[in-house]
Amino acid sequence: MSDKNINKEQEFMLLLQKTLKEARENGGRISRDEISEIFSGLSLDRSQLEQVEGYLKAHKIVVGTQAGDVDALPEVERDFLTSYMEMLDNIPELSDSVLEALKISAMAGEHSAQKELSEQMLRDVVDIARLYAGQGVSIEELIGAGNEALVTGVRLLGHLDSPQDVDGEIGRRIMDSMEDLIAAMLDDNAMDRKMEDMVNLVADKAHELAEELGRKVTPMELAGEGDVTAEQIMEAVRLTGGKIEDLDVQT
């Protein structure tokens, strides 16, 4: 390997560590635009940038679109976000020193401070939700889940050593809530596809046997062919309300 390639690899590794550090300092999240900017000097192709993203995700970093860029969202979600951000604009932002004092009070269990801290961090929820947008869950649902995690999280800060730890702690809770929501959606979709595939299989086998016999077939006859089980047939009948064209469920 040439010295030039070695130097390039060393530069890549240094930039990778820099990216990880910046993402952690930003509450465990970074945008794709920010990654591209950091590695701009190396002219990485798409597959190489995806490897960078994979490395970051393995270290529990959220990689998404640029925070503040809502153009990629569907119109109904953009409208919701615009309206929601207008509402948040009515919440006055505190100075760094006042916010730090508020975090200390929240860590000590002061309920009014916890409530005010939640309000101050609502914009953080939106920033994180933007990073998770486009994965099958609406921005409104993501913000809702994040807000619930925020309200819960500000009540559980007593174990932290410093107010500087608050943003990271709350950020992780918010991200976990959104990841759980997306995972549940993916599980539901996978189950829906599995059920759909099973119904289609039963319908196809019923159609094949019906064409062979020249009439509708009974569940018992279909099960006797051995391609689908009686349990699959009954479940398909239940899911379709008995509306499988070539299956006689009245017999």
Side-chain angles (χ1 to χ4, degrees):
M1 183 179 295
S2 67
D3 290 342
K4 182 178 180 180
N5 288 336
I6 292 174
N7 290 335
K8 189 172 183 179
E9 284 192 8
Q10 290 174 339
E11 183 180 0
F12 175 82
M13 293 305 299
L14 289 173
L15 290 175
L16 196 60
Q17 292 303 313
K18 176 184 177 182
T19 306
L20 180 60
K21 180 181 178 181
E22 289 190 9
R24 284 174 171 166
E25 290 175 349
N26 194 39
R29 56 189 188 272
I30 193 169
S31 73
R32 291 188 175 92
D33 288 346
E34 289 168 328
I35 294 173
S36 296
E37 183 177 350
I38 292 172
F39 286 90
S40 59
L42 294 182
S43 301
L44 301 185
D45 59 28
R46 184 63 252 174
S47 65
Q48 290 171 316
L49 288 172
E50 287 176 354
Q51 290 176 2
V52 174
E53 290 185 19
Y55 172 83
L56 295 171
K57 290 176 182 178
H59 286 78
K60 307 299 182 183
I61 301 299
V62 176
V63 179
T65 55
Q66 178 67 43
D69 178 14
V70 300
D71 292 340
L73 294 175
E75 182 177 358
V76 65
E77 295 191 38
R78 292 201 304 271
D79 290 344
F80 164 80
L81 191 56
T82 299
S83 176
Y84 187 73
M85 291 304 295
E86 288 175 354
M87 181 190 72
L88 295 187
D89 286 340
N90 294 320
I91 301 174
E93 293 190 54
L94 303 178
S95 66
D96 290 343
S97 60
V98 174
L99 187 58
E100 181 172 342
L102 189 65
K103 291 176 181 178
I104 293 172
S105 296
M107 290 167 60
E110 188 176 313
H111 294 303
S112 61
Q114 292 171 349
K115 182 177 182 297
E116 189 172 0
L117 181 58
S118 294
E119 292 178 349
Q120 287 295 310
M121 298 190 72
L122 288 173
R123 294 180 183 86
D124 295 331
V125 174
V126 175
D127 287 342
I128 296 173
R130 283 170 171 156
L131 294 176
Y132 282 101
Q135 299 189 52
V137 178
S138 73
I139 194 77
E140 183 175 0
E141 292 174 307
L142 290 169
I143 290 173
N147 285 346
E148 289 183 14
L150 170 60
V151 170
T152 300
V154 295
R155 299 171 184 164
L156 302 172
L157 300 175
H159 67 288
L160 298 180
D161 296 324
S162 164
Q164 281 71 43
D165 298 331
V166 169
D167 287 353
E169 173 72 12
I170 297 298
R172 281 189 291 274
R173 287 182 178 274
I174 293 170
M175 288 187 286
D176 287 345
S177 71
M178 294 182 187
E179 289 174 2
D180 288 345
L181 184 61
I182 292 171
M185 179 275 300
L186 293 174
D187 287 344
D188 288 344
N189 287 351
M191 181 59 68
D192 289 345
R193 288 193 296 271
K194 183 178 180 181
M195 293 297 99
E196 183 180 353
D197 290 344
M198 187 263 291
V199 169
N200 289 336
L201 176 62
V202 170
D204 289 344
K205 294 303 179 182
H207 180 69
E208 291 175 7
L209 185 57
E211 282 197 331
E212 181 180 331
L213 299 179
R215 58 172 173 79
K216 287 188 174 184
V217 299
T218 68
M220 183 176 295
E221 288 174 327
L222 184 57
E225 292 295 301
D227 294 316
V228 290
T229 66
E231 290 78 11
Q232 287 175 315
I233 296 168
M234 290 301 99
E235 182 64 8
V237 169
R238 184 187 69 80
L239 290 171
T240 61
K243 297 179 180 179
I244 297 179
E245 184 176 355
D246 296 296
L247 193 62
D248 183 2
V249 298
Q250 305 300 323
T251 304

